[in-house]
Amino acid sequence: MELLWVGAAYMAGLVTSRLYLPPLVGYLLAGYMLNIAGVEANETLGHLADIGIELLLFTVGLKLKPSSLLRREVLSVGSLHLLIVTLVSALVYFSFNGQVTGGLVIGVSLAFSSTILAIKVLEDSGELSTLYGRDVLSILILQDIVAIGLLAFANNKQPSPWALCLLLLPFLRPLAYRLLSASRDDELKLLLGIVLALAGGALAHKVGISNDIGALLMGVMLAGHVDIDDLSKKLWGLKETFLAAFFLQIGLADLPGYDEIIQVLELLSLLPLQGILFFALFLLVGLRARTAFVSSLALMTYSEFALITSNVVVEARLLPPSWESVIGLAVALSLAIAAPLNRFSHRIFSFMEPRLVRFERKVEHLDKLPSSIGGTEWLVVGMGRTGMSAYLTFKQQDTRVLGLDADPINLKNLLADGRRVIYGDAEDSALWETLPLEKIKGVILTMPEFEARSSSIKQLKNLQFAGNIGTLCFHNDEESELYRLGATFVIHPLIEAGKQLAEHMLASTCKVDLPEHSGESM
């Protein structure tokens, strides 16, 4: 049976991923197909699904940083969005016969956006560390915190007095930190993460609280460790694997009928309103139309948390069982719609830009474009290790160089070190139109994403930029395309590293051999 589940999930996930859709859409479809074939879920699948949810909540806890949640745009947009959707949900579900509580919980949970899809989209595009990427991630975490409270409310269970002991978990942080630091091997770090997530769930269950909340609190306890990003990455793939069981379970539970499909379509019709609301709120706090648009698209989904809360609400008999399949299909289809939209979000905005910029507020934007670059002669776009190396080389030659980066944290650190850098997103066409390109001798593009590098070259050439354009390539097929678009110099970092390593080795060998030859000649 396990082979059938895993095989079906893999094949369906493979097909959907080739269609540029999230694999989890395929997992849900696999569940429906197995349901039609007469296959039933059992306790093993349910247990695997529970582990997936606990790992999901644990990784959310690892990312919790109060400082990221206290930014004005995060609190304003996240809180106002939840408040507005909650009020609308209360009005819509007020007519439910004796099911107002369940309807309200489902309504509020549909205000949450998919953490899995948003992070996947931002990571794939390399925009997780940009200004809008950090805002989206912080809003998702704020939603996750509210979702945890909603789960506790929907569970409708009386916790044990011993539940207060969970507040003592922060006192175990030094021990947890020491264990993580001592776990130098990758597999040990992964096992420690699993142990802590399951331990948190088991401890919470013992005191009458949802396992999910215990896993989240255990993640919060570990947050802040220097190796936490490494641990999160290691847990990501494992969490996704176990969550496949959760989506399979939804599909195997029940097939939606005609009435349920109509309800699903009604829920999907509300998605554009969700996107418009986010867009309006982002503009309200002072973001430019472009940042507001791409952020809104990333958040215009229904969350996997809605699946969890619907399961809890149905088990508590606050809503009929049919709602579980309705929410499951609505979440899957919302992800299927959002995935391609996010993939081409920058192109879509370029097409709609003349209409959308009219709604921008006439204020000092948080993501403002540079008003002046002084006497800059050289631009380095992307101030990572490669960009920083290029920047320092220019500085050593006593040339006027300026660095651009879209990561506000990186910019803050570079400015503190006395570097001459400003905020700038290379895929923003308005950035290049604002810069006085006629004064610039050359631009170096070091962004890791091919789309960002190629798009920047296109925009520079469209603006008749006459200077040199240097960039990187990481695959053989990229080099010819970048030259075709107008790049002056293209290097492959790994190939260049190999050449330099060989040259240094040969040079050092010659220096060692030189005295011997001179001695023989004497």
Side-chain angles (χ1 to χ4, degrees), residues 14-222:
L14 179 64
V15 171
T16 53
S17 66
R18 299 297 291 179
L19 296 173
Y20 299 106
L21 298 175
L24 58 87
V25 175
Y27 306 153
L28 188 65
L29 293 175
Y32 286 136
M33 289 187 290
L34 291 174
N35 192 324
I36 294 171
V39 177
E40 296 182 356
N42 60 23
E43 290 184 5
T44 302
L45 187 64
H47 187 57
L48 293 175
D50 290 340
I51 293 175
I53 295 171
E54 288 180 25
L55 289 175
L56 170 65
L57 272 293
F58 179 73
T59 53
V60 169
L62 293 177
K63 295 186 178 74
L64 280 180
K65 294 178 181 178
S67 59
S68 66
L69 302 178
L70 295 177
R71 295 206 305 275
R72 179 165 63 90
E73 63 270 26
V74 173
L75 285 175
S76 302
V77 174
S79 302
L80 280 174
H81 177 266
L82 284 172
L83 179 61
I84 292 170
V85 174
T86 300
L87 291 174
V88 171
S89 301
L91 292 173
V92 170
Y93 289 105
F94 189 73
S95 59
F96 267 60
N97 297 325
Q99 295 177 328
V100 178
T101 303
L104 183 58
V105 170
I106 290 294
V108 176
S109 65
L110 289 173
F112 306 144
S113 305
S114 172
T115 303
I116 293 175
L117 179 75
I119 292 178
K120 184 78 168 70
V121 167
L122 291 170
E123 279 191 333
D124 288 348
S125 62
E127 297 177 314
L128 193 56
S129 60
T130 62
L131 175 69
Y132 99 86
R134 290 182 183 276
D135 282 348
V136 166
L137 181 59
S138 297
I139 289 173
L140 288 168
I141 292 173
L142 182 65
Q143 291 179 348
D144 292 344
I145 293 172
V146 176
I148 296 303
L150 200 64
L151 278 175
F153 171 76
N155 260 323
N156 200 24
K157 294 179 181 178
Q158 188 68 31
S160 161
W162 289 100
L164 294 174
C165 292
L166 292 176
L167 298 177
L168 300 176
L169 281 178
F171 292 101
L172 297 177
R173 177 172 290 178
L175 175 61
Y177 274 25
R178 187 167 295 181
L179 286 173
L180 184 55
S181 299
S183 306
R184 297 180 180 178
D185 296 317
D186 289 344
E187 59 268 28
L188 288 177
K189 289 181 180 178
L190 182 61
L191 283 174
L192 177 63
I194 298 170
V195 167
L196 291 176
L198 297 181
L203 184 62
H205 181 74
K206 286 288 185 183
V207 295
I209 293 179
S210 171
N211 297 32
D212 313 329
I213 297 175
L216 176 94
L217 292 175
M218 196 66 81
V220 172
M221 179 193 70
L222 202 57

Side-chain angles (χ1 to χ4, degrees), residues 379-383 387 402-405 424 426 432 443-447 456:
L379 284 179
V380 178
V381 186
M383 292 296 288
L402 176 69
L404 276 76
D405 202 280
W432 300 112
V443 177
I444 292 182
L445 305 169
T446 67
M447 304 85 76
S456 298

